[in-house]
Amino acid sequence: MGKVISVANQKGGVGKTTTSVNLAASLAYYGKKVLLIDFDAQGSATTSLGINRSKLTGNLYDALMGIKTIKEVIIPIQVADKKTLDLVPATIDLAGIDMKLLEQNDHTFVLDSIVAKVKAQYDYVLIDCAPALGISTLNALYASDSVLIPIQCQFLAIDGLTQLLNTIRVVQKNLKVNKRELTIEGVLLTMLDKRTKAGWAIVNEVKEYFQEGVFKTFITSNVAAQVAPTYGVPILTYAPKSSAAVLYKSLAKELIENNENK
Ligand SMILES: Nc1ncnc2c1ncn2[C@@H]1O[C@H](COP(=O)(O)OP(=O)(O)O)[C@@H](O)[C@H]1O
Ligand SMILES: [Mg+2]
């Protein structure tokens, strides 16, 4: 059964999409069957993987609304050599999704019910969350086994994390009733500028706060991470030798080890 992991942080610009896309691609690189769900109306993960959103015939909105099945909206994406991952794309259609979800019964479990239909076919299902803590992100958390929290190594990095952690706690409590668990997969430090003291100070601050909960791998600031999406490919395709490509592969390895070598 595939492990479902939400990549979440209500702050924008912390590396959620970059991490979702490149962790998904790196897991696929290591032979894992991966489904990436783009749950942000901006559709950045979708565009980052070279999909022209205006040409799509179906997207996550259609699946959530029951207009199409999740299988009908999945697109296979070539990531490295002969490796592929599956993508559930997002478009601007998702912009009004919170209101639409609220109209449904069991409105926090809509994503869970559609992911349940396909997760057995995958090793990992990653959900790229929107920068918000509304119904959409709650749907992602209720569908998940764990949460990966990217934190940008910048001033005020852990500001606002209390709200995210409180939300996770509420979901954990409610899932327990259903005999399910939501764990924290790990905190990922992103965009570290290794040359600055300020960057390392954040690393220390976050490590103090989350202790063992921080991934050993941290992602440094790297121009390849910024440029790859403009070519519509993951970093490991655009610049396989770049530090970002190497680090996201190392993150994938760490995650696989944490989950499969117990
Ligand atoms: N390791 C990195 N090095 C340099 N720039 C990065 C890195 N990771 C992400 N970025 C850039 O930072 C911005 C925000 O990243 P993104 O993944 O879109 O964050 P979020 O999804 O949390 O809003 C993007 O422009 C992205 O290209
Ligand atoms: Mg994003």
Side-chain angles (χ1 to χ4, degrees):
M1 188 59 99
K3 182 167 196 188
V4 185
I5 305 173
S6 275
V7 179
N9 185 336
Q10 79 273 26
K11 240 189 216 185
V14 298
K16 289 182 290 297
T17 300
T18 307
T19 298
S20 302
V21 166
N22 292 292
L23 176 59
S26 301
L27 287 166
Y29 172 87
Y30 287 120
K32 300 299 170 190
K33 290 210 72 190
V34 182
L35 176 66
L36 172 61
I37 299 177
D38 187 350
F39 205 173
D40 186 349
Q42 302 296 322
S44 312
T46 302
T47 325
S48 297
L49 286 168
I51 301 300
N52 183 341
R53 282 175 285 152
S54 63
K55 294 205 173 125
L56 288 171
T57 54
N59 63 71
L60 178 61
Y61 177 88
D62 302 313
L64 289 168
M65 289 297 110
I67 300 164
K68 294 211 155 136
T69 65
I70 183 164
K71 279 189 189 152
E72 284 171 330
V73 301
I74 286 174
I75 315 173
I77 308 267
Q78 185 106 15
V79 283
D81 303 327
K82 293 195 174 80
K83 302 290 170 40
T84 60
L85 64 82
D86 281 350
L87 170 75
V88 174
T91 68
I92 198 69
D93 283 356
L94 275 180
I97 193 67
D98 281 26
M99 293 296 281
K100 291 283 185 184
L101 287 171
L102 279 169
E103 289 167 6
Q104 300 199 29
N105 291 333
D106 255 349
H107 56 256
T108 46
F109 284 95
V110 183
L111 182 66
D112 181 54
S113 69
I114 65 168
V115 170
K117 295 193 175 120
V118 290
K119 68 177 169 189
Q121 296 161 30
Y122 297 96
D123 297 308
Y124 295 97
V125 178
L126 300 185
I127 307 173
D128 181 22
C129 293
L133 277 180
I135 289 292
S136 297
T137 300
L138 276 178
N139 262 268
L141 295 176
Y142 278 109
S144 295
D145 300 296
S146 67
V147 198
L148 188 158
I149 307 172
I151 294 183
Q152 187 183 2
C153 296
Q154 269 202 352
F155 184 55
L156 298 179
I158 58 177
D159 223 44
L161 273 180
T162 329
Q163 286 153 292
L164 176 62
L165 295 174
N166 284 342
T167 306
I168 292 171
R169 242 170 256 134
V170 170
V171 174
Q172 282 172 328
K173 231 175 162 181
N174 291 340
L175 279 177
K176 237 186 199 159
V177 182
N178 298 325
K179 299 207 163 48
R180 284 177 45 185
E181 239 192 335
L182 175 70
T183 61
I184 295 185
E185 188 67 44
V187 166
L188 177 69
L189 290 157
T190 65
M191 293 178 249
L192 170 68
D193 183 350
K194 284 167 102 174
R195 299 162 305 180
T196 66
K197 269 192 186 164
W200 289 108
I202 300 290
V203 173
N204 290 331
E205 186 185 4
V206 172
K207 277 189 174 165
E208 221 163 86
Y209 193 88
F210 287 98
Q211 307 275 325
E212 300 300 299
V214 184
F215 282 108
K216 289 190 190 77
T217 308
F218 45 74
I219 311 298
T220 53
S221 202
N222 180 227
V223 69
Q226 275 171 6
V227 180
T230 65
Y231 288 90
V233 292
I235 308 166
L236 61 79
T237 307
Y238 169 72
K241 295 204 172 96
S242 65
S243 61
V246 172
L247 290 167
Y248 274 111
K249 280 205 287 196
S250 141
L251 174 68
K253 262 203 168 146
E254 188 177 346
L255 191 137
I256 292 168
E257 266 168 32
N258 289 347
N259 283 285
E260 300 177 23
N261 294 352
K262 274 183 190 156

